[in-house]
Amino acid sequence: MKELVWENIQRVRNEAPLVHNITNAVVMNNTANALLAAGASPIMAHALEEIDEMVPLCRATVINIGTLDRFTVESMKAAIRRANEVGRPVVLDPVGAGATSFRNRTLQEILVSGKPQFIRGNASEIMVMAGLSTRSKGVDSSESSLNSLEAAKALSKRVGCIVCVSGETDLVVEGDRVVYLYNGSPMMEKVTGLGCTASAILGAFAAVAEDAFMAAVSATSFMGICGEIAVSMSQGPGTLQLHLYDVMYNLNREQFMQTVRISE
């Protein structure tokens, strides 16, 4: 499995896939820089008027509901419909699920409009989407990732997608299949939008990997490893963000193999 992950990291770098992002205003610049550092090519296109042309142009679409308004909601619904039509993978990040009725209604409407290949969020967001919890702490998780395992399995089976849960232990779930990933650092929670960055990175891996489940494992592993190495070089959250881009850009096979921790 580790070798497959490394192969997918190299695929992103070699193929430089164009990734379409409808994402939140807080993290747009960070997300674009992370995609570039990983080897992908980002485009941030929110206008409804260009969705029909933009989605087929890109190799994956990432939908992030972090900063919603009525205009971007229509673009999100159009994007997932169009991506399903042309066979492009979609990553859905349900930021703040459970916080407001508007967010919950938006997620329901997106899932009615089309089917994501991946849903990636924190434990609380996944539990809300699975209908096993209504609790929310804004965009932060009030649950541990391992507590959300049954919710992730239920959500995966109901939607027919791969579910990725971020936390102290990251989870990648498809039906009853589970992979556990143990990289990362608590300091990553002190940099805004790293979960959103993880979803964008997943879009890049989904664009190039031959196997969708391994795309999710590879993206999650890459994000955790790069974060963990970057933390070891940092004095705090400010320098972590800078070092994270550098590590993504420079990560080599030796560093990867020394750091990666995965089990199934």
Side-chain angles (χ1 to χ4, degrees):
M1 184 174 287
K2 294 177 183 179
E3 289 291 348
L4 285 174
V5 171
W6 179 248
E7 287 176 14
N8 285 332
I9 292 170
Q10 293 301 99
R11 281 195 180 98
V12 172
R13 292 169 169 174
N14 293 335
E15 298 183 29
L18 185 61
V19 180
H20 174 214
N21 295 265
I22 303 178
T23 191
N24 76 71
V26 177
V27 303
M28 207 174 301
N29 182 67
N30 301 4
T31 297
N33 281 328
L35 283 168
L36 287 168
S41 182
I43 187 161
M44 279 45 190
H46 295 69
L48 179 62
E49 291 80 2
E50 63 179 354
I51 292 296
D52 277 356
E53 296 173 86
M54 185 61 69
V55 170
L57 181 65
C58 300
R59 292 179 62 182
T61 290
V62 180
I63 296 174
N64 177 313
I65 72 163
T67 50
L68 285 175
D69 60 52
R70 64 183 185 274
F71 303 107
T72 54
V73 169
E74 293 307 311
S75 295
M76 290 172 182
K77 292 189 290 186
I80 195 168
R81 280 195 300 267
R82 186 67 171 135
N84 285 179
E85 288 173 1
V86 298
R88 297 292 188 269
V90 175
V91 179
L92 174 61
D93 189 334
V95 178
T100 66
S101 57
F102 181 40
R103 287 179 188 272
N104 294 343
R105 186 169 64 252
T106 295
L107 288 168
Q108 291 172 359
E109 291 174 359
I110 289 171
L111 291 178
V112 167
S113 299
K115 177 182 171 182
Q117 192 170 22
F118 308 89
I119 297 175
R120 199 222 65 83
N122 64 41
S124 293
E125 291 161 351
I126 297 305
M127 292 176 77
V128 168
M129 288 204 71
L132 300 184
S133 173
T134 57
R135 293 189 298 168
S136 174
K137 186 188 172 187
V139 299
D140 298 319
S141 183
S142 59
E143 296 282 352
S144 76
S145 56
L146 293 175
N147 287 346
S148 71
L149 178 56
E150 293 308 313
K153 289 180 178 180
L155 180 61
S156 173
K157 292 173 184 177
R158 191 181 80 223
V159 178
C161 70
I162 296 162
V163 176
C164 304
V165 189
S166 60
E168 183 177 352
T169 300
D170 295 322
L171 309 175
V172 176
V173 178
E174 185 175 27
D176 290 320
R177 185 182 183 187
V178 184
V179 167
Y180 303 84
L181 302 104
Y182 304 99
N183 290 111
S185 166
M187 192 192 292
M188 295 173 72
E189 297 176 5
K190 301 300 181 183
V191 178
T192 189
L194 287 192
C196 303
T197 297
S199 294
I201 293 293
L202 176 52
F205 280 81
V208 303
E210 295 177 357
D211 178 84
F213 188 82
M214 281 308 303
V217 172
S218 301
T220 304
S221 179
F222 178 74
M223 189 72 193
I225 287 168
C226 291
E228 186 173 317
I229 295 172
V231 165
S232 72
M233 303 162 61
S234 304
Q235 295 179 314
T239 48
L240 167 57
Q241 190 165 2
L242 296 175
H243 287 310
L244 180 62
Y245 301 145
D246 292 345
V247 175
M248 287 180 168
Y249 183 78
N250 291 305
L251 184 69
N252 60 47
R253 189 178 186 282
E254 182 181 1
Q255 286 177 307
F256 169 80
M257 288 298 177
Q258 287 175 349
T259 311
V260 62
R261 296 187 296 280
I262 303 175
S263 69
E264 185 169 8

